[in-house]
Amino acid sequence: MNVVVRPAEASSVESGNQPGYMTGFGNGFESEALPGALPVGRNSPQRCAYGLYAEQLSGAPFTAPRARNERSWLYRIRPTVAHWGRFSRAAQGLWRTAPCAETELPPAPMRWDPVGFPESPTSFIEAMHTITTAGDAAAMAGIAVHVYAATRSMQDEYFYNADGELLIVPQDGGLRLCTEFGVIEALPGEIAVIPRGVKFRAELPDGRARGYVCENYGGAFTLPERGPIGANCLANPRDFLTPVAAYEDREGPARLFVKWGGTLWQADLAQSPLDVVAWHGNYAPYKYDLRRFSPVGPLLFDHADPSIFTVLTSPSETPGTANVDFVCFPDRWMVSENTFRPPWYHMNIMSEFMGLIYGQYDAKPRGFVPGGFSLHNTMLPHGPDVDAFEAASQADLAPHKLAGSMAFMFETRFPQRVTSHAAELPELQPDYGDYGHRLVKKFNPAQA
Ligand SMILES: [Fe+2]
């Protein structure tokens, strides 16, 4: 008999018209789906209420500094050791893990059209197609970037990733992420983050779903410092939503997939592992609506560095040198006087993977379409194409609103290696790297 228990009425919190979530970033949250399931004033009582087991999930070393220390206590029907079995290798599909040197491509900017949906039923996990890898997962440094195009919900299938956390960027179709901590519904324009080690399954409310994933092997995503900006703007903590507790008390055949050490493993279970009745702590999945981002930018002249649009950052041991930054480009006003307003031409020690959720990106009026993606790797030149350059050089510089577009970037300190799958995709635009050739010489030493 299948029994799915919804969150208790008392633990539902209204947050921006979204019931079932708690607000804040990295708070010491607590939530219970049954009254009294959470121990009061202690973590590990001799006997937990309702016959639950207590289990700690540590996302940071025990001794990490307080500001970086992440853990949660889960009160569950069975501990995770009971949701276990003899693991065998699962079909790996096209999921790759760094280091992965499948190809040796000449250095060039790269861009792809959106990938299509498969004709055969494909789950969120099966759909994970790695485009780039960077760093080394075993060293807990670097990232992988994946795209997914899924066509079936995960039923009685569960997954957790030991190699990194997953930052999911839906682009076409929403996701309903049933996690140990509760349910997250993420639509295009929103992002969801599943921390390392958190079990979940993905349902597709729209029947299919496409998007991007940053698998972060490094330090957990956190909010960037604001410096002189002060206490407000950019991504505000209150706009991050963490689900209230919801559990499945379901006996019956199930399968758990685990990605560990770059390999996808599977084991058969006799019940759902999403059996956490109550939890508390600061290590939990969350979602965020990118349209809540409050941009800050140049008010008089010049074009600021894109770091002003950083939503989340995974810091490294080197100050100011992110393992990966997640950056969005939301609606905003362009007001700078006597300024070339699009992004300038540049070369960067950081490598940049870009995607477009909807709309049109200002530096690339053509060829970069929603669902597509581009890679501007370490120290490779890039900038506006000829259309964008000519238009911006001649534009009337009245205040102008860029609206109806949402691009994003995964920017990492590591060079990104393209997988052989990505290199052979028919969606790879063969002539993209030539766009610079169309920028003609304008130099005239006789005219300043
Ligand atoms: Fe760039």
Side-chain angles (χ1 to χ4, degrees):
M1 178 182 161
N2 290 355
V3 180
V4 177
V5 176
R6 295 285 161 224
E9 192 84 357
S11 61
S12 288
V13 178
E14 290 278 344
S15 302
N17 299 322
Q18 293 205 43
Y21 296 94
M22 301 176 283
T23 62
F25 189 90
N27 295 9
F29 295 108
E30 60 178 44
S31 181
E32 59 186 17
L34 291 176
L38 264 181
V40 175
R42 62 184 63 231
N43 296 323
S44 189
Q46 186 178 25
R47 286 184 297 278
C48 295
Y50 300 108
L52 298 171
Y53 290 85
E55 178 176 290
Q56 184 177 207
L57 175 60
S58 295
F62 299 143
T63 49
R66 182 177 286 264
R68 305 286 304 155
N69 204 312
E70 295 182 299
R71 67 89 181 89
S72 284
W73 280 89
L74 286 61
Y75 301 91
R76 56 194 316 155
I77 298 171
R78 292 177 176 89
T80 297
V81 290
H83 298 305
W84 211 248
R86 295 291 178 93
F87 279 88
S88 59
R89 290 188 77 135
Q92 186 84 20
L94 292 166
W95 196 332
R96 298 289 179 269
T97 299
C100 174
E102 295 178 330
T103 54
E104 194 69 47
L105 299 175
M110 302 177 77
R111 193 168 66 186
W112 291 259
D113 292 322
V115 299
F117 286 90
E119 292 185 0
S120 58
T122 305
S123 75
F124 177 74
I125 298 303
E126 294 165 339
M128 208 68 79
H129 290 186
T130 306
I131 304 300
T132 69
T133 62
D136 185 343
M140 295 192 174
I143 63 167
V145 178
H146 318 288
V147 296
Y148 64 88
T151 54
R152 73 170 179 91
S153 293
M154 294 168 71
Q155 302 285 355
D156 306 322
E157 295 167 295
Y158 305 87
F159 171 75
Y160 82 83
N161 190 6
D163 293 339
E165 67 180 335
L166 300 178
L167 188 161
I168 303 167
V169 185
Q171 186 272 321
D172 180 351
L175 291 173
R176 186 170 189 269
L177 301 165
C178 303
T179 81
E180 291 178 289
F181 290 76
V183 178
I184 288 179
E185 293 184 328
L187 297 171
E190 298 178 308
I191 60 163
V193 174
I194 308 289
R196 189 192 298 254
V198 172
K199 303 174 195 73
F200 71 98
R201 61 184 172 85
E203 297 180 352
L204 314 181
D206 303 314
R208 66 179 206 174
R210 183 174 65 193
Y212 313 85
V213 174
C214 177
E215 182 181 5
N216 173 22
Y217 310 134
F221 277 113
T222 189
L223 295 173
E225 299 295 342
R226 288 197 188 93
I229 295 172
N232 301 289
C233 296
L234 310 186
N236 288 303
R238 68 182 289 246
D239 295 320
F240 288 81
L241 302 177
T242 287
V244 297
Y247 67 94
E248 297 176 352
D249 181 9
R250 195 185 61 71
E251 306 288 321
R255 180 161 289 174
L256 176 63
F257 294 89
V258 176
K259 190 165 90 72
W260 196 101
T263 299
L264 193 64
W265 302 91
Q266 67 181 43
D268 291 331
L269 306 180
Q271 67 282 323
S272 166
L274 305 185
D275 64 351
V276 177
V277 178
W279 63 271
H280 78 84
N282 63 351
Y283 191 67
Y286 56 87
K287 75 167 185 171
Y288 174 73
D289 189 333
L290 296 171
R291 291 155 294 199
R292 298 269 184 105
F293 188 88
S294 174
V296 170
L299 294 173
L300 191 59
F301 61 88
D302 272 354
H303 181 99
D305 295 323
S307 45
I308 57 173
F309 299 117
T310 302
V311 181
L312 293 165
T313 184
S314 161
S316 74
E317 293 80 1
T318 306
T321 307
N323 180 66
V324 60
D325 283 332
F326 173 63
V327 179
C328 77
F329 300 97
D331 288 1
R332 60 202 184 275
W333 282 92
M334 307 293 273
V335 299
S336 292
E337 300 171 347
N338 187 19
T339 292
F340 183 76
R341 288 179 175 176
W344 15 246
Y345 295 101
H346 78 134
M347 295 169 66
N348 191 355
I349 191 170
M350 304 282 277
S351 67
E352 309 173 11
F353 179 100
M354 280 196 69
L356 184 60
I357 304 169
Y358 54 81
Q360 177 181 299
Y361 181 61
D362 63 319
K364 299 286 166 66
R366 290 186 299 180
F368 185 41
V369 300
F373 42 97
S374 67
L375 176 64
H376 298 108
N377 227 326
T378 303
M379 282 300 170
L380 299 192
H382 54 287
D385 61 23
V386 66
D387 295 336
F389 179 84
E390 294 299 338
S393 300
Q394 307 298 326
D396 170 18
L397 293 183
H400 169 65
K401 188 174 184 181
L402 293 176
S405 175
M406 185 67 77
F408 72 91
M409 182 162 64
F410 302 137
E411 181 167 339
T412 172
R413 67 182 303 189
F414 298 101
Q416 296 184 52
R417 276 199 172 267
V418 176
T419 61
S420 56
H421 165 70
E424 291 159 11
L425 274 173
E427 290 83 2
L428 177 63
Q429 299 175 5
D431 58 350
Y432 173 61
D434 300 334
Y435 75 87
H437 299 162
R438 291 188 282 275
L439 292 154
V440 299
K441 178 179 176 181
K442 295 172 178 286
F443 178 62
N444 180 356
Q447 185 175 2

